[in-house]
Amino acid sequence: DTEVTQTPKHLVMGMTNKKSLKCEQHMGHRAMYWYKQKAKKPPELMFVYSYEKLSINESVPSRFSPECPNSSLLNLHLHALQPEDSALYLCASSPGQGAPGELFFGEGSRLTVL
Amino acid sequence: QKEVEQNSGPLSVPEGAIASLNCTYSDRGSQSFFWYRQYSGKSPELIMFIYSNGDKEDGRFTAQLNKASQYVSLLIRDSQPSDSATYLCAVFDSNYQLIWGAGTKLIIKP
């Protein structure tokens, strides 16, 4: 069982909808990530939160809005998405600066934009 | 453009044999190296990491790092059908970024 929990597992939304993806971890990790993954491609980094502060934003369109309410929770707010945004959205956590690259992924939220 | 390269495969290996997966990287200042396994439709799972030149063993898995030649490999001994997956190599480079390879699809044939 993964220790990073993502909800919902599947989401279908129209281009005018507003929805949110949620992620929770209870491993005491201080870094949390959002990745986007298309079929047969590696994960693509979107955002990094370190100690609850946004530290990396990989030039992601503003229709994706991250939020880190506390050290255990990470949200990704979605608004006015495009069909090409359909993908698997992965949340990950890592112990922090001492262990870069050691990522623990949730099961992902598979998003379909109609 | 810093790159991490893997043969996309598929790499087909008989059950019980050794599967050898390779990864090369362009940034000579890269610091740490990771292997993730991803089953179809699932999320990546970290299976090995290596920071120093040489071999690191964990059960049936061995990671090998050669910084001079800029390659890292993953050996899977006594391959099982359950090892069939895509294996992603990731490299933490000198700019403190995690660069991913495109992955190698491994098929273990019973």
Side-chain angles (χ1 to χ4, degrees):
Chain A
D1 289 343
T2 181
E3 295 186 71
V4 178
T5 304
Q6 288 188 244
T7 56
K9 287 188 170 37
H10 299 275
L11 178 63
V12 179
M13 60 186 291
M15 289 190 285
T16 58
N17 292 157
K18 283 186 181 181
K19 298 285 186 183
S20 296
L21 306 180
K22 298 186 183 299
C23 176
E24 187 170 7
Q25 60 93 7
H26 292 290
M27 294 181 282
H29 289 172
R30 302 318 300 262
M32 295 186 76
Y33 308 74
W34 281 114
Y35 278 88
K36 173 183 176 180
Q37 188 176 28
K38 293 272 204 177
K40 302 189 189 301
K41 298 288 187 184
E44 179 183 339
L45 182 64
M46 300 176 72
F47 302 104
V48 181
Y49 275 84
S50 179
Y51 292 87
E52 300 165 48
K53 292 192 186 323
L54 184 64
S55 61
I56 295 178
N57 176 342
E58 291 286 352
S59 302
V60 178
S62 60
R63 57 186 185 268
F64 295 92
S65 174
E67 178 194 19
C68 188
N70 60 52
S71 61
S72 300
L73 293 174
L74 188 65
N75 298 322
L76 185 63
H77 302 298
L78 314 171
H79 174 54
L81 295 192
Q82 303 297 309
E84 59 264 29
D85 297 321
S86 298
L88 181 66
Y89 287 84
L90 295 162
C91 174
S93 68
S94 71
Q97 292 183 348
E102 292 182 39
L103 300 175
F104 294 79
F105 285 93
E107 293 185 344
S109 293
R110 188 163 298 281
L111 173 67
T112 302
V113 181
L114 301 177
Chain B
Q1 179 81 20
K2 295 175 181 175
E3 294 181 344
V4 174
E5 295 190 354
Q6 299 180 254
N7 188 322
S8 61
L11 174 65
S12 185
V13 173
E15 183 176 0
I18 295 175
S20 178
L21 302 159
N22 299 313
C23 171
T24 59
Y25 59 95
S26 62
D27 180 8
R28 187 169 287 278
S30 296
Q31 303 176 29
S32 46
F33 307 84
F34 305 86
W35 284 100
Y36 285 82
R37 176 177 64 199
Q38 187 170 24
Y39 294 114
S40 181
K42 302 295 186 182
S43 59
E45 174 191 11
L46 178 65
I47 54 171
M48 290 287 288
F49 57 88
I50 186 167
Y51 296 158
S52 304
N53 268 335
D55 294 1
K56 180 181 178 183
E57 187 174 319
D58 183 2
R60 295 187 297 112
F61 298 96
T62 299
Q64 299 177 318
L65 175 60
N66 184 322
K67 287 188 175 181
S69 299
Q70 295 178 235
Y71 81 78
V72 56
S73 60
L74 179 70
L75 302 179
I76 306 175
R77 290 181 300 280
D78 187 24
S79 298
Q80 304 296 311
S82 59
D83 296 324
S84 297
T86 295
Y87 289 80
L88 296 158
C89 172
V91 174
F92 197 71
D93 72 5
S94 57
N95 285 333
Y96 305 101
Q97 293 185 329
L98 190 66
I99 310 297
W100 294 80
T104 298
K105 184 174 183 177
L106 175 66
I107 299 173
I108 306 299
K109 295 191 299 183

